[in-house]
Amino acid sequence: MSVWQRYPKEERQRYIQFLQIYGALSNLFRQKKGDLIPYLDSKFQETVFDKIFSNSENKDIGNTPHDILSVFGDERIGVGLKTWTNSKPSFQKVMQLKRFQNEINAIKNSEELAYKISGAVLD
């Protein structure tokens, strides 16, 4: 079962509805010419996610590698919400790891580095 499927169906539908409405309105505030495509700002997604999903909390204000922390029983899952633009070349980050920078820089082995990054502690 995916993380998305673990949230109640009613909350998932409400979240989708908020994104659809926001996306439909986003072209009203465009500052650049081009294709009329919805723009779903990640800050909006984080705020709505926090408000809709009762077991979730917005953590983006801290220096965490995730934007949202969801709790399912004893399990804590970090969720990253990102907005990808169609820019080339793209240097958009997937995850912020500033808090672990010193530990990561000290690792020389690729396998050990993968384990460190995948095990970034959820606060």
Side-chain angles (χ1 to χ4, degrees):
M1 175 183 294
S2 72
V3 173
W4 176 250
Q5 292 170 326
R6 296 173 86 176
Y7 297 108
K9 184 176 182 178
E10 301 78 29
E11 291 179 359
R12 286 183 288 163
Q13 289 172 333
R14 191 161 181 230
Y15 181 68
I16 291 169
Q17 183 180 31
F18 268 87
L19 295 183
Q20 287 173 330
I21 292 168
Y22 185 80
L25 294 173
S26 67
N27 281 313
L28 292 173
F29 308 102
R30 290 173 54 85
Q31 295 181 359
K32 297 179 181 177
K33 294 185 185 233
D35 294 336
L36 293 177
I37 57 171
Y39 178 77
L40 301 173
D41 179 74
S42 61
K43 297 295 180 205
F44 173 80
Q45 293 177 59
E46 293 160 10
T47 301
V48 171
F49 203 102
D50 178 34
K51 297 205 180 305
I52 298 288
F53 296 108
S54 57
N55 63 337
S56 298
E57 181 181 347
N58 190 341
K59 292 290 190 177
D60 189 47
I61 56 172
N63 190 10
T64 62
H66 52 278
D67 301 312
I68 298 289
L69 176 64
S70 293
V71 180
F72 301 97
D74 293 336
E75 194 172 10
R76 298 158 48 92
I77 297 176
V79 178
L81 300 169
K82 303 298 176 205
T83 298
W84 298 95
T85 59
N86 191 20
S87 59
K88 293 181 180 135
S90 179
F91 297 101
Q92 299 168 78
K93 68 181 178 192
V94 174
M95 185 177 193
Q96 182 168 295
L97 297 166
K98 287 180 187 174
R99 180 166 62 173
F100 304 102
Q101 183 176 357
N102 292 337
E103 296 170 57
I104 289 171
N105 287 338
I107 297 172
K108 303 298 179 209
N109 176 297
S110 298
E111 188 173 334
E112 186 181 342
L113 179 61
Y115 277 106
K116 177 62 182 173
I117 292 173
S118 67
V121 179
L122 300 176
D123 61 10

